[in-house]
């Protein structure tokens, strides 16, 4: 029987949690390596995915810049067997495969600002209903 005190978990949240489990033991490379956390946000299917629509969906202030790019370069970097541990390469390759199978419009976003050292990072895509699901982390840039 459903618990009336528990809010329902939407599909984007469940998928983001699955990505988080897959990314266990992986970190975003920067001056400090931070782990990945689950990320999801509501976005109507009819809303185009832009830096500004992402800003609105996630609640990012105007003082920050949003650098959005296709996720291909990210996966290429993290799946390079010359620069990464073989197990990490396999895990990133599986993560890419699962994300591409379940999401469209895979993107990376860095949220930067003047005098900001802890840069928010997002790796995500869109579900059929338009909502966003993926991973988030922190990159240190000094």
């Amino acid at each position: 029987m459903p618990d009336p005190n528990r809010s329902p978990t939407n599909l984007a949240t469940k998928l983001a949690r699955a990505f988080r489990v897959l990314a266990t033991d992986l970190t975003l490379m920067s001056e400090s390596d931070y782990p990945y956390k689950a990320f999801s946000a509501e976005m109507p299917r009819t809303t185009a995915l832009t830096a500004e629509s992402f800003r609105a969906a996630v609640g990012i202030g105007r003082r920050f810049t949003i650098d959005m790019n296709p996720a291909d370069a990210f996966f290429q970097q993290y799946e390079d067997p010359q620069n990464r541990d073989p197990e990490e390469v396999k895990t990133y390759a599986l993560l890419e495969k699962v994300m591409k199978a379940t999401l469209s419009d895979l993107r990376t976003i860095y949220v930067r600002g003047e005098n900001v050292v802890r840069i928010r990072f997002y790796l995500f895509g869109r579900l059929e209903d338009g909502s966003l699901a993926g991973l988030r982390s922190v990159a240190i840039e000094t």
Side-chain angles (χ1 to χ4, degrees), residues 7-132:
S7 62
T9 304
N10 67 26
L11 192 56
T13 301
K14 290 178 183 179
L15 188 56
R17 287 179 184 161
F19 294 146
R20 169 60 193 106
V21 170
L22 188 55
T24 298
D25 299 326
L26 298 179
T27 58
L28 181 66
M29 287 188 310
S30 71
E31 292 178 36
S32 277
D33 298 337
Y34 280 84
Y36 294 101
K37 296 181 180 182
F39 162 73
S40 63
E42 297 295 319
M43 183 176 282
R45 180 183 321 178
T46 55
T47 301
L49 180 57
T50 65
E52 291 309 309
S53 65
F54 183 84
R55 180 189 306 278
V58 180
I60 296 170
R62 307 287 301 138
R63 79 178 192 100
F64 296 98
T65 59
I66 296 176
D67 298 327
M68 182 166 59
N69 293 292
D72 294 337
F74 171 85
F75 283 117
Q76 205 169 31
Q77 174 187 359
Y78 281 82
E79 293 171 20
D80 182 354
Q82 301 298 320
N83 298 319
R84 306 292 295 179
D85 174 76
E87 280 303 309
E88 286 184 12
V89 169
K90 287 187 220 175
T91 304
Y92 276 106
L94 181 58
L95 178 63
E96 179 181 22
K97 187 174 185 177
V98 172
M99 290 182 101
K100 284 184 173 181
T102 56
L103 302 170
S104 63
D105 208 14
L106 290 180
R107 301 282 177 190
T108 60
I109 284 184
Y110 287 90
V111 180
R112 294 180 168 96
E114 191 174 325
N115 298 319
V116 175
V117 174
R118 291 175 45 95
I119 309 302
R120 289 177 276 178
F121 170 81
Y122 298 86
L123 169 64
F124 68 98
R126 293 187 84 168
L127 279 82
E128 282 186 30
D129 69 359
S131 58
L132 310 176

